[in-house]
């Protein structure tokens, strides 16, 4: 008689060779040994595991070569009968659900559609009312949903949107929490199913999101099977591009860890040229900071907080030393871990978790932006804003801690706006900068850090509006930034060239409205400051020179007067006839 340990070893070997080598004689032999050993042991759970694997592999062989499916049907029915006795067993419930759903899909695949659909629907009715608050319960619900959506696609796809979105979100959670390669592959498959549902709903925007993420995940794997999946996704993307042309941006291979809820995406209306909505609405729709405890993870204690803080410092140091890959890994793992602690920890420790979580997301966003992965950077930066704002919202107003939390949140907003601009999300850029100005308006006078952030937000928003030719709106914002940065210029060298930058912005706006006196005054001050600083971004000097040429051309008398007074620091230039 077989021993449990030996059966477990054979089961593990059968799963491993299937994943590594795919179908073939060696795989078939390994699975048959596992089935025989499980039958000899007389353990229904282990037999279900082995027989389910054997049936799944056999279905892939027979459906690929068009062979006789009689024995496949018999095996699938045996799996369903065996699993039926284990669905109420807490130790085997999840595996019983998974194997029953697989068997139902196999029956549908060999032409017994009604029987297969009946099996899957029955399992879903059993699973649906149960809470998915543990890893096994989530596995069961995900498997049941996947089977249900797949089989209903052929008959009633128009009502599957929420179910398909929940399926993706659940599978993403499993992939993130377990770290299993198989769970990541299952996520890629779930995204493909969601794309088909989105197609039925007439949502090419959601198809594009799902297919590009699916393509990103499939690029992570090697082998003939992975290549075939990748080619199928490429074909789907090509068809989508032909029907609805738009720039395709494939996310970075690590972006799947922080992608927003597909339920949120589904709830958004299809793009119609309108803006994405105000900050409060966007914040309310964000579901990645839910507050629900994930599984049995213990809450974060002081030692955990201290360890996470040290790892954050390590990630920042690695990034500063241009050890990009290692820094990205440290920050990504830290952000993932803190996201789990967030749901398991209560205040006040939770506020420390969110402080570190938002900082890890922010630092990784800036790193991804620095190396040109702007779309990944945007998703990370936006989530860092959400986490930072949620942390700030729980604090008593007017305290030093609250002011620091607000300063962190608005810093993340200002830099997220820079990333938004780089990715063409101009409405998001303006939304974020406007939010910073609103949040800092009542607090900045008493807190220098907030005052400096406010100056940056005002400058950046005025600059963005100038580029869009909204000069009437930009001018008062720029003048407010000028007043703040003039006061702060004495703090340090960076504050001084920030002031010089705003002098140039206000000069450009003066040129636009042909206020030559102000243009000469601000250009003179900016030039003298840059000369005094000696070190500053080269682009500033180039921009100052361009503006000086314009002003000299249009207001030569004012320039000559400034030059005679020794306040015009630019090289002598005479317009050519």
């Amino acid at each position: 008689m077989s021993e449990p340990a030996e059966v477990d070893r054979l089961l593990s070997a059968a799963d491993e060779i299937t994943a590594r080598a795919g179908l073939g004689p060696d795989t078939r032999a390994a699975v048959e040994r596992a089935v025989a050993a499980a039958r000899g042991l007389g353990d229904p759970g282990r037999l279900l595991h082995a027989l389910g694997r054997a049936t799944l592999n056999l279905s892939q062989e027979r459906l690929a070569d068009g062979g006789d499916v009689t024995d496949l049907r018999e095996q699938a029915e045996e799996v369903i009968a065996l699993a039926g006795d284990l669905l109420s067993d807490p130790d085997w419930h999840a595996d019983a659900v998974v194997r029953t759903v697989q068997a139902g899909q196999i029956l549908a695949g060999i032409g017994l559609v009604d029987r297969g659909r009946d099996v899957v629907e029955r399992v879903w009715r059993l699973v649906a009312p149960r809470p998915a608050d543990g890893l096994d319960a989530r596995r069961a619900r995900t498997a049941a949903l996947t089977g249900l959506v797949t089989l209903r696609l052929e008959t009633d796809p128009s009502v599957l949107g929420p179910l398909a979105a929940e399926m993706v979100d659940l599978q993403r959670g499993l992939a993130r929490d377990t770290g299993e390669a198989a769970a990541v592959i299952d996520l890629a498959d779930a995204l493909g199913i969601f794309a088909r549902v989105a197609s039925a709903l007439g949502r090419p925007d959601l198809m594009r999101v799902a297919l590009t993420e699916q393509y990103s995940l499939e690029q992570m794997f090697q082998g003939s099977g992975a290549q075939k999946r990748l080619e199928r996704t490429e074909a789907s993307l090509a068809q989508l591009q032909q029907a609805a042309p738009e720039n395709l941006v494939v996310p970075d291979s690590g972006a799947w860890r922080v992608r927003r809820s597909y339920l949120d995406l589904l709830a958004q209306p299809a793009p119609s040229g309108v803006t994405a909505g105000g900050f409060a609405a966007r914040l309310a729709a964000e579901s990645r900071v839910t507050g629900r405890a994930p599984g049995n993870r213990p809450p974060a204690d002081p030692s955990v907080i201290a360890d996470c803080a040290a790892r954050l410092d390590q990630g920042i140091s690695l990034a500063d030393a241009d050890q990009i890959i290692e820094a990205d890994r440290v920050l990504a793992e830290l952000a993932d871990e803190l996201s789990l602690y967030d749901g398991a920890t209560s205040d006040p420790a939770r506020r420390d978790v969110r402080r570190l979580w938002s900082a890890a997301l922010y630092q990784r966003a800036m790193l991804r932006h620095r190396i040109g992965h702007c779309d990944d950077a945007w998703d990370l930066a936006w989530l860092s804003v959400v986490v930072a704002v949620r942390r700030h919202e729980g604090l008593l107003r007017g305290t030093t801690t609250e002011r620091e939390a607000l300063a962190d949140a608005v810093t993340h907003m200002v830099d997220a706006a820079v990333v938004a601009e780089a990715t063409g999300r101009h409405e998001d850029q303006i939304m974020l900068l406007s939010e910073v100005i609103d949040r800092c308006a009542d607090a900045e006078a008493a807190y220098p850090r907030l005052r400096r952030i406010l100056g940056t937000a005002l400058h950046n928003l005025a600059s963005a509006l100038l580029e869009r030719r909204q000069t009437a709106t930009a001018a008062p914002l720029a003048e407010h930034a000028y007043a703040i940065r003039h006061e702060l210029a004495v703090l340090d060298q960076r504050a001084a060239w920030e002031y010089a930058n705003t002098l140039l912005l206000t000069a450009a706006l003066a040129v636009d409205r042909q206020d030559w006196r102000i243009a000469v005054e601000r250009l003179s001050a900016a030039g003298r400051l840059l000369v005094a600083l000696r070190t500053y971004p080269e682009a500033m000097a180039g921009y100052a020179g361009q503006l000086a040429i314009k002003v000299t051309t249009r207001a030569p008398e004012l320039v000559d007067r400034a030059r005679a007074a020794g306040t015009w620091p630019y090289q002598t230039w005479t317009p050519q006839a």
Side-chain angles (χ1 to χ4, degrees), residues 501-519:
N501 203 19
T502 298
L503 284 168
L504 294 176
L505 175 62
T506 57
L509 285 161
V511 169
D512 188 82
R513 65 178 181 270
Q514 300 184 35
D515 186 342
W516 305 115
R517 184 187 61 80
I518 292 294

Side-chain angles (χ1 to χ4, degrees), residues 200-221:
L201 295 174
R203 292 292 301 271
D205 57 312
L206 298 183
M207 288 181 66
R208 187 172 289 105
V209 171
L211 288 173
T212 51
E213 185 180 2
Q214 182 185 20
Y215 186 82
S216 171
L217 293 175
E218 289 168 346
Q219 285 183 311
M220 297 165 57
F221 299 94

Side-chain angles (χ1 to χ4, degrees), residues 310-323 327 331 363:
R311 288 159 61 192
L312 175 63
D313 290 340
Q314 178 193 14
I316 294 171
S317 297
L318 288 167
D320 290 342
D322 286 333
Q323 297 184 40
L331 293 169
Q363 293 293 339

Side-chain angles (χ1 to χ4, degrees), residues 149 153 157-162 164-165 167 192-203 207 266:
V149 172
L153 257 173
S158 62
V159 298
L160 291 181
M167 170 192 69
I193 296 170
F194 181 86
R196 293 169 61 193
V197 172
S199 176
L201 295 174
R203 292 292 301 271
M207 288 181 66
L266 187 70

Side-chain angles (χ1 to χ4, degrees), residues 453-476:
I453 295 165
L454 176 59
T456 300
L458 288 162
H459 174 98
N460 291 358
L461 182 54
S463 180
L465 293 171
L466 175 60
E467 289 182 4
R468 304 177 89 177
R469 308 307 305 161
Q470 298 179 28
T471 54
T473 306

Side-chain angles (χ1 to χ4, degrees), residues 27 71 105 119 142 272 286 289 377 408 459 489 540 548:
T27 302
D71 54 345
Q105 290 178 288
V119 169
T142 305
S272 60
E286 181 57 69
V289 189
D408 289 341
H459 174 98
M540 289 177 66

